[in-house]
Amino acid sequence: AQGHPKYTPPEGKTINDLEMAWSRLEKAEHERDLTLKLELNRLEQLEQKYLKFDKKAKLREDWLSDKLSILSDSSFILNTAQIDATFKKHEAIGADILARDERFNQLDELAQYLIKEDYFSKETIRKRNQQIQVAYSNLLEQFEKRKAIINTFQELQILFQEMESLKNEMLELENSFQSKEYGEYLLAVE
């Protein structure tokens, strides 16, 4: 209208070029938005798994300290009358310990998952899990040592009972040998 020449944009800056660049930008923003949402979901899941790990680890640590205090009690056998009761109690403790083996394996798997997924406090998780697993191994060792001691005590008790019965038999034989009755017939003498 004013007699100026018609504007023609340079190559790559036409309306079509701008619209294509705009749609690429929108597509890139959308992909970035999806990636961020997926990462946030992954981090939320990791945080939930960590809370689960922390809760289970606390339970396992408390249980381990209880069982270790029970097994480290040095006055578990006071006399021979208590050996059988101690053996039964020890077997019940052993059943409880061995039944928890799968739970300790699950805790280890959960820790390994968090470490593999690069959770931000993975070193803390690794150390805590290692401490729990070592404590569980120590508990199993103490259990086996105590079991061996109790079995030895049981064997000794059986041996002492056999010795006592042999002693009683020998006393009866001694009394019969000291008897002045020789018998009247040959069969009675024999």
Side-chain angles (χ1 to χ4, degrees):
Q2 293 180 356
H4 294 291
K6 184 177 173 187
Y7 175 74
T8 54
E11 188 66 33
K13 295 187 179 180
T14 63
I15 291 179
N16 279 343
D17 293 334
L18 291 176
E19 284 180 3
M20 286 176 34
W22 190 260
S23 86
R24 283 193 310 263
L25 177 65
E26 285 179 341
K27 184 178 177 183
E29 281 183 340
H30 178 71
E31 287 175 4
R32 181 163 171 83
D33 184 47
L34 285 177
T35 304
L36 287 173
K37 284 180 182 177
L38 288 173
E39 183 62 18
L40 282 174
N41 285 339
R42 186 184 82 81
L43 292 175
E44 279 181 24
Q45 289 175 350
L46 283 177
E47 188 64 29
Q48 289 173 356
K49 293 225 184 234
Y50 173 74
L51 293 174
K52 186 178 179 181
F53 170 81
D54 187 49
K55 179 182 171 186
K56 288 182 179 248
K58 178 72 173 133
L59 290 172
R60 302 299 172 267
E61 289 167 341
D62 292 343
W63 182 85
L64 279 169
S65 66
D66 288 345
K67 294 302 174 192
L68 281 171
S69 68
I70 289 171
L71 286 179
S72 64
D73 181 19
S74 61
S75 64
F76 62 94
I77 297 179
L78 297 176
N79 59 38
T80 57
Q82 291 181 334
I83 289 177
D84 290 330
T86 303
F87 180 75
K88 289 177 184 174
K89 181 180 175 184
H90 188 71
E91 287 299 314
I93 291 170
D96 187 29
I97 289 172
L98 296 176
R100 304 258 178 175
D101 190 51
E102 182 62 30
R103 293 180 184 181
F104 282 93
N105 290 338
Q106 289 172 351
L107 183 70
D108 186 46
E109 289 172 6
L110 188 58
Q112 296 307 321
Y113 175 79
L114 287 168
I115 292 167
K116 184 186 84 168
E117 290 295 319
D118 201 27
Y119 187 71
F120 73 93
S121 63
K122 65 183 176 184
E123 285 306 313
T124 306
I125 293 170
R126 183 187 326 268
K127 288 177 186 173
R128 189 172 182 191
N129 182 49
Q130 186 177 13
Q131 289 172 346
I132 291 171
Q133 298 301 328
V134 166
Y136 184 64
S137 296
N138 289 340
L139 178 73
L140 289 174
E141 286 176 20
Q142 270 193 321
F143 171 74
E144 291 301 322
K145 286 178 184 176
R146 188 168 172 178
K147 184 177 182 179
I149 291 170
I150 291 173
N151 285 339
T152 302
F153 276 124
Q154 277 190 317
E155 290 171 5
L156 283 174
Q157 183 182 19
I158 291 170
L159 184 63
F160 286 143
Q161 288 171 349
E162 288 176 2
M163 288 171 55
E164 187 67 31
S165 67
L166 283 174
K167 178 183 167 189
N168 290 338
E169 286 180 31
M170 288 173 63
L171 286 175
E172 288 175 12
L173 284 174
E174 182 182 9
N175 288 339
S176 67
F177 288 147
Q178 291 176 352
S179 171
K180 299 291 183 192
E181 293 181 21
Y182 298 117
E184 296 179 16
Y185 304 103
L186 183 59
L187 289 177
V189 172
E190 288 178 358

